[in-house]
Amino acid sequence: MKAVRMYAPGDLRVEEAPRPVPGPGEYLVQVMAVGVCGSDIPRVNRYGAHVSPIIVGHEFSGLVVEAGPGAQGFEPGDHVTCPPLIPCGQCPPCRAGQYSLCEQYDYYGSRRDGAFAQYIAVKAENLLKVAPQVSFEDAATLDPCANAMHGLRRAQFAPGDSLCVYGAGPIGQLALRCAAQMGASQLMAVDVWDEKLALAQSGGAQVLVNSRRQDPVQAIMEATGGQGAQVVIDFSGVPDCQQAAILSAARMGRVVYLGISHQGLNLSEKAVDALMRRQITLAGSWNSFTAPFPGPDWTQSLDLFQQGKITSKDLISHRLSLDEAPAIFRRIAQGGFYFNKIMFFPNGLAGS
């Protein structure tokens, strides 16, 4: 089979690899669509993975092909997606049902071979059946949607709340779309790309702020009559946005940091004052896995896709073959060009 292996940061190779043989309790899945996660970009271009060489990629969907010994629950031809975390099940967070916080987890695409390949062997408990009417690219977007849903849950988002997102990439876009379905009173998006703001508008955002041209805090305050947003989620991981998120929040507002930063954050006197005087709640959000595995963030997101209430079709900026993977990651590393969700189709575009 064809696969994309990473040997070192920046060293991505398209190769022929042995087709996996499903082990006990596993299924062989033909990968029909696999997305590039925001975490894949620094993994491939800068930091590397936990093992090397490795087939990366963890946001994927496909068709069940073959069962390994003792595998139960799925049949050949089933449409599936994969919650990619493999929790240990033994540590205190796992015993509490907080699998995202597992102390000894495994993970498809970063700690074991992932889905930038035509086939992958997956544990039965890491497969989620998807209705055939859901496109493969929508099913492959269930992971980022579950992350978006988890951020909303961490913010205790409720019908009637206003929502402001900093960073209108795929997860931010899906958060807007989920919040719209959950009864948001006002949706606001902040980004530096007009193309992403246009997508946010198509997903229901009424307030669009290009932070290269406007002060986002001032714009959000004006849009909310000086009150601020009840829920603000930063999907960018940019320290300036993390700080602006606090300053954009209403009294008793909830701010969530979801975007991966790898940077320090020095809050200004003004931000600390707002945090205290407005009694703002500040929370982190990490992944999306809770009991019963994979958890309600996944099942509620799947329901939205299966009911046709949301789609990722317009969020995909690049539809590519595996052969194009090394070039697109080099282009990302060079910077300066627009992309949103990049999706690979290892077995062709048919049926996507």
Side-chain angles (χ1 to χ4, degrees):
M1 70 171 185
K2 185 175 291 186
V4 180
R5 278 204 182 100
M6 179 177 67
Y7 283 81
D11 184 2
L12 209 59
R13 308 179 196 174
V14 181
E15 299 181 335
E16 283 298 315
R19 183 167 130 168
V21 175
E26 292 185 331
Y27 286 91
L28 182 67
V29 175
Q30 183 180 26
V31 181
M32 299 304 293
V34 53
V36 174
C37 175
S39 67
D40 287 328
I41 294 170
R43 181 176 296 116
V44 169
N45 287 336
R46 285 184 284 167
Y47 303 123
H50 292 270
V51 296
S52 184
I54 188 172
I55 299 172
V56 292
H58 61 266
E59 298 180 357
F60 68 96
S61 65
L63 295 168
V64 171
V65 174
E66 177 187 343
Q72 296 181 355
F74 299 89
E75 299 292 337
D78 281 349
H79 291 223
V80 293
T81 188
C82 173
L85 176 81
I86 305 172
C88 75
Q90 304 300 317
C91 67
C94 280
R95 291 199 300 270
Q98 297 295 332
Y99 301 118
S100 289
L101 307 181
C102 176
E103 297 170 358
Q104 299 291 333
Y105 66 89
D106 203 344
Y107 211 92
Y108 290 100
S110 66
R111 295 169 185 252
R112 63 168 60 195
D113 279 341
F116 282 9
Q118 290 182 298
Y119 295 90
I120 180 173
V122 182
K123 292 175 178 290
E125 53 266 36
N126 284 87
L127 290 176
L128 196 59
K129 194 175 295 186
V130 178
Q133 71 266 21
V134 178
S135 70
F136 289 117
E137 56 190 31
D138 271 352
T141 317
L142 199 56
D143 184 318
C145 191
N147 275 272
M149 191 71 80
H150 191 67
L152 292 169
R153 194 179 305 278
R154 291 288 293 146
Q156 298 181 330
F157 180 87
D161 281 341
S162 55
L163 169 68
C164 173
V165 304
Y166 276 81
I171 303 179
Q173 300 279 357
L174 289 163
L176 290 168
R177 294 173 186 213
C178 289
Q181 293 298 322
M182 296 163 67
S185 60
Q186 188 178 27
L187 296 172
M188 297 161 271
V190 180
D191 204 279
V192 298
W193 289 93
D194 287 333
E195 294 92 339
K196 292 186 179 182
L197 292 172
L199 283 174
Q201 186 175 38
S202 70
Q206 301 97 347
V207 179
L208 311 170
V209 182
N210 188 314
S211 56
R212 292 191 191 276
R213 297 194 294 267
Q214 292 177 273
D215 178 332
V217 175
Q218 181 180 347
I220 296 306
M221 285 297 173
E222 289 176 356
T224 57
Q227 296 302 303
Q230 288 155 311
V231 172
V232 186
I233 307 180
D234 175 66
F235 294 95
S236 72
V238 176
D240 284 349
C241 294
Q242 292 172 325
Q243 187 143 227
I246 293 173
L247 294 170
S248 301
R251 289 171 177 81
M252 300 296 290
R254 288 92 72 198
V255 176
V256 173
Y257 290 168
L258 190 150
I260 298 173
S261 175
H262 295 304
Q263 301 176 74
L265 177 63
N266 294 315
L267 292 180
S268 68
E269 179 183 345
K270 190 175 181 181
V272 173
D273 192 56
L275 192 65
M276 296 175 66
R277 288 177 177 268
R278 299 183 203 168
Q279 295 193 168
I280 295 167
T281 299
L282 179 60
S285 182
W286 186 254
N287 245 315
S288 57
F289 306 100
T290 52
F293 188 86
D297 298 320
W298 281 80
T299 54
Q300 290 177 14
S301 297
L302 178 58
D303 285 345
L304 289 174
F305 280 113
Q306 291 187 152
Q307 294 166 18
K309 293 182 176 179
I310 61 172
T311 181
S312 64
K313 183 177 181 180
D314 59 332
L315 302 183
I316 300 169
S317 59
H318 295 73
R319 291 174 170 85
L320 305 174
S321 69
L322 288 180
D323 291 320
E324 298 171 276
I328 197 70
F329 276 95
R330 286 194 299 269
R331 191 175 179 191
I332 292 170
Q334 292 165 359
F337 85 105
Y338 167 74
F339 67 94
N340 200 40
K341 175 57 70 179
I342 296 169
M343 191 77 70
F344 297 112
F345 296 89
N347 288 283
L349 281 164
S352 67

